[in-house]
């Protein structure tokens, strides 16, 4: 069963990397689960820098200035904003 789980995870990762849009996935607690290659290119942030970390901690560490996860989890509503990261790059966030 573990081999099948790994196969599915690898397949899912390959699908995410096909998108030109940056994708940042968290769980409901704000833990960073996965970012795709487009996110890394657009932000200059590597997955190894943020994977497994809480978005609130990343804000405190000034990796970026805002995250949508806490508000979306609290309200259940989508939101859009502009985020600035530690590299000075601005990205438009669309959270659902």
């Amino acid at each position: 069963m573990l081999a099948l789980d790994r196969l599915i995870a690898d397949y899912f990762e390959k699908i995410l990397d096909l998108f030109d849009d940056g994708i940042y996935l968290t769980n409901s607690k704000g833990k960073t689960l996965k970012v795709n290659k487009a996110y890394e290119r657009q932000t200059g942030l590597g997955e190894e820098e943020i994977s497994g970390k809480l978005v609130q901690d990343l804000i405190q560490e000034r990796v970026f200035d805002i995250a949508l996860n806490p508000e979306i989890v609290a309200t259940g509503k989508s939101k859009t904003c502009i985020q600035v990261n530690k590299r000075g790059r601005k990205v438009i966030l669309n959270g659902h």
Side-chain angles (χ1 to χ4, degrees):
M1 191 62 152
L2 290 176
L4 180 58
D5 290 344
R6 186 68 241 159
L7 182 66
I8 291 169
D10 289 345
Y11 186 68
F12 181 69
E13 188 170 320
K14 287 178 183 177
I15 291 171
L16 286 179
D17 286 339
L18 292 173
F19 288 90
D20 291 328
D21 290 332
I23 298 174
Y24 188 120
L25 299 174
T26 67
N27 66 13
S28 63
K29 304 288 186 201
K31 181 180 178 181
T32 304
L33 303 176
K34 174 76 182 138
V35 297
N36 69 349
K37 297 290 185 202
Y39 178 87
E40 291 180 311
R41 281 191 309 275
Q42 293 164 4
T43 64
L45 301 172
E47 184 170 17
E48 67 282 350
E49 293 178 76
I50 55 180
S51 185
K53 295 184 179 180
L54 296 172
V55 294
Q56 294 293 37
D57 292 342
L58 293 167
I59 291 169
Q60 288 179 352
E61 295 169 14
R62 299 183 183 200
V63 174
F64 41 70
D65 65 343
I66 191 169
L68 297 178
N69 173 280
E71 186 174 342
I72 291 170
V73 170
T75 66
K77 295 181 180 179
S78 298
K79 184 170 179 168
T80 300
C81 73
I82 296 175
Q83 178 189 75
V84 180
N85 70 32
K86 69 180 184 179
R87 302 220 177 3
R89 295 189 185 181
K90 294 179 182 178
V91 293
I92 299 171
L93 302 181
N94 291 302
H96 305 280

